[in-house]
Amino acid sequence: MKKLAIITSHPIQYYAPLFRHIASVADFSFKVFYLWNFGVTQQVDAGFKQRIQWDVPLLSGYDNEFVPNISPHPGTSHFWGLQNPSLFNQVRAYNPDAVLLMNYNYASLYNFIWRWNCRQTPLLFRGDSHRLLPITGAKQWLRRKFISLIYRRFSACLYVGQGNYHYFRYHGVPPENLFFAPHAIDNDRFFSQAEEASRQAKLWQQELGIPENHSVILFAGKFEEKKRPQDLLQAFLQANLSQVSLLFVGAGSLERELHRQAAEHPHIYFACFQNQTLMPRTYAAADLVVLPSYGSWETWGLAINEAMCMSRPAIASTHVGCASDLIQPYRNGLIFPAGDLSALATCLQEAFSDRERLKMWGEESRKIVTHYSYTQTTQGLKEALVHLGVLCPSQ
């Protein structure tokens, strides 16, 4: 049986069920090499500004091992956060037929990429970067050249959506070396919990004090500048909607400022960080989910996948990586120019101008997101491995 090594930074709540899915259906074996233990031990999350540990299984159902990290400040927020001197030898000892990397911009991974004999054992890469906010100038030209050199080391790349596809093409990856492996969440977990989550959501809304006759706009995530929760708050006030409440769920550096700005409005509510098992309930409490992020860092926005699994319509900014893939304007949501508060306010008004239509948008969301599942992601990976000659077409 052919063997695939997968190298990624740390156990992630969205990737662990993907790995379990691959293990259950694939005709090849694989091992995941983790470079940091965040998520399985209680540690401070830089965005949420609090200690967290995910409450869903992260290491069961597939083969994995941790590579010792000697960084004095381990993490993914800086280049030296992943320093794993034994990575090369641990992967080589596994003797894989191909290696898939899920990151590259860290000390250990650069070292691995340049040392690995990619002619003998091919490298694959799955990323989600985009250029929805193009940067120009001499510095960007040099950056483009450098990144293009890195991608030459990979025999195939897996892209998660349209923006990511164009990013790879911009950096010189030939189209025949690109394979669609979409970003996805554990759709089945959300689908199976939808009915119970809706029941729990009604009780939760009562606990939060949200009027029973109010529709709810939800922001769920980190309260930080890049996510732009303050844009949503100001747009909500500008929209002046009737019988609509705004619910912020999460934590972060902007929490105090958001509370200050919301202090005089009777229909803005806050709930603390919700762990993974409570996310179906979180989205079930909403009639509309909004992701107003600004900048190139919101490479996808898996909160939109989660909301759509719960049959919720969505509004996202043009800087959200998944917007052009998952949101079809006037079918399951709306897209607005990032940073444009007036445009966001208009979108909110449009969404609630016909509440029956808004519900229909949510039903369409669930249909659309079924095409962004672990099945499609696994299929893209297998197609890449066939392309490289690692697997036979029948596999």
Side-chain angles (χ1 to χ4, degrees):
M1 184 176 286
K2 297 294 185 178
K3 296 164 64 177
L4 173 69
I6 301 176
I7 304 173
T8 191
S9 57
H10 61 287
I12 296 174
Q13 69 273 28
Y14 301 116
Y15 287 175
L18 168 62
F19 296 148
R20 281 194 289 274
H21 175 82
I22 297 173
S24 70
V25 301
D27 294 326
F28 58 90
S29 62
F30 69 94
K31 176 181 281 190
V32 179
F33 293 83
Y34 286 120
L35 309 184
W36 180 37
N37 65 351
F38 182 84
V40 294
T41 60
Q42 194 173 87
Q43 299 185 43
V44 174
D45 182 281
F48 285 120
K49 301 297 182 184
Q50 65 183 58
R51 298 180 69 84
I52 67 170
Q53 181 177 352
W54 299 121
D55 62 354
V56 292
L58 296 178
L59 300 176
S60 62
Y62 65 97
D63 194 12
N64 61 81
E65 70 178 64
F66 284 87
V67 183
N69 186 353
I70 64 170
S71 172
H73 303 288
T76 55
S77 61
H78 61 107
F79 179 79
W80 298 104
L82 302 180
Q83 295 184 54
N84 312 80
S86 63
L87 173 62
F88 183 89
N89 288 335
Q90 285 184 236
V91 175
R92 186 169 60 179
Y94 180 60
N95 193 29
D97 296 283
V99 181
L100 169 63
L101 280 80
M102 312 285 270
N103 325 81
Y104 73 80
N105 200 25
Y106 298 97
S108 284
L109 295 174
Y110 277 119
N111 179 64
F112 180 89
I113 291 168
W114 298 125
R115 288 181 63 192
W116 191 256
N117 186 344
C118 54
R119 292 186 178 182
Q120 179 179 334
T121 306
L123 296 177
L124 299 86
F125 180 71
R126 182 173 185 254
D128 57 8
S129 298
H130 60 65
R131 296 191 71 254
L132 300 180
L133 185 64
I135 303 172
T136 59
K139 186 175 180 180
Q140 175 59 24
W141 182 85
L142 289 172
R143 176 179 172 80
R144 179 182 184 182
K145 293 294 183 182
F146 177 69
I147 294 176
S148 297
L149 285 175
I150 295 172
Y151 286 147
R152 289 181 188 175
R153 301 285 293 171
F154 295 98
S155 301
C157 292
L158 309 177
Y159 67 95
V160 301
Q162 297 178 43
N164 185 218
Y165 175 87
H166 293 300
Y167 179 87
F168 282 129
R169 293 291 295 118
Y170 174 79
H171 289 101
V173 180
E176 62 269 21
N177 290 351
L178 289 168
F179 299 86
F180 182 48
H183 257 323
I185 65 161
D186 192 352
N187 290 1
D188 291 340
R189 179 170 76 89
F190 279 76
F191 292 159
S192 66
Q193 296 179 20
E195 185 175 344
E196 175 61 19
S198 296
R199 188 188 67 80
Q200 293 177 1
K202 291 178 182 178
L203 297 174
W204 190 43
Q205 286 176 309
Q206 292 175 7
E207 294 172 6
L208 294 171
I210 299 174
E212 188 176 348
N213 65 339
H214 272 217
S215 299
V216 176
I217 299 168
L218 172 68
F219 174 96
K222 297 174 180 178
F223 300 161
E224 57 185 356
E225 186 63 36
K226 295 177 289 188
K227 287 277 192 181
R228 299 299 273 262
Q230 69 275 35
D231 284 11
L232 176 56
L233 192 154
Q234 292 303 320
F236 174 72
L237 297 178
Q238 186 177 325
N240 193 29
L241 302 167
S242 174
Q243 294 185 318
V244 179
S245 292
L246 174 59
L247 173 59
F248 287 102
V249 177
S253 59
L254 292 177
E255 186 167 355
R256 183 176 297 179
E257 176 60 20
L258 287 169
H259 277 277
R260 186 191 69 78
Q261 293 181 23
E264 296 182 4
H265 195 284
H267 298 308
I268 300 179
Y269 301 85
F270 291 86
C272 63
F273 164 81
Q274 306 289 295
N275 216 318
Q276 287 298 294
T277 57
L278 291 175
M279 291 314 293
R281 182 192 72 170
T282 301
Y283 293 107
D287 296 277
L288 174 69
V289 173
V290 181
L291 189 56
S293 304
Y294 188 97
S296 59
W297 81 277
E298 188 72 87
T299 52
W300 185 258
L302 284 164
I304 300 297
N305 293 65
E306 293 177 325
M308 291 173 65
C309 281
M310 296 302 296
S311 300
R312 295 305 183 257
I315 293 177
S317 80
T318 50
H319 290 176
V320 174
C322 73
S324 59
D325 294 86
L326 293 181
I327 299 179
Q328 299 178 24
Y330 292 93
R331 181 186 171 192
N332 74 312
L334 297 167
I335 302 172
F336 72 97
D340 189 334
L341 271 64
S342 295
L344 176 53
T346 300
C347 285
L348 295 177
Q349 291 170 338
E350 177 64 25
F352 286 99
S353 65
D354 186 337
R355 302 198 187 199
E356 282 302 313
R357 181 186 64 176
L358 188 63
K359 187 176 180 180
M360 291 174 59
W361 285 3
E363 294 169 356
E364 290 297 314
S365 278
R366 176 160 171 157
K367 294 177 184 177
I368 293 169
V369 82
T370 59
H371 300 288
Y372 289 77
S373 73
Y374 293 150
T375 298
Q376 282 86 0
T377 306
T378 304
Q379 182 61 32
L381 172 59
K382 292 177 70 173
E383 289 174 359
L385 293 173
V386 169
H387 173 74
L388 298 180
V390 175
L391 297 181
C392 297
S394 59
Q395 292 179 274

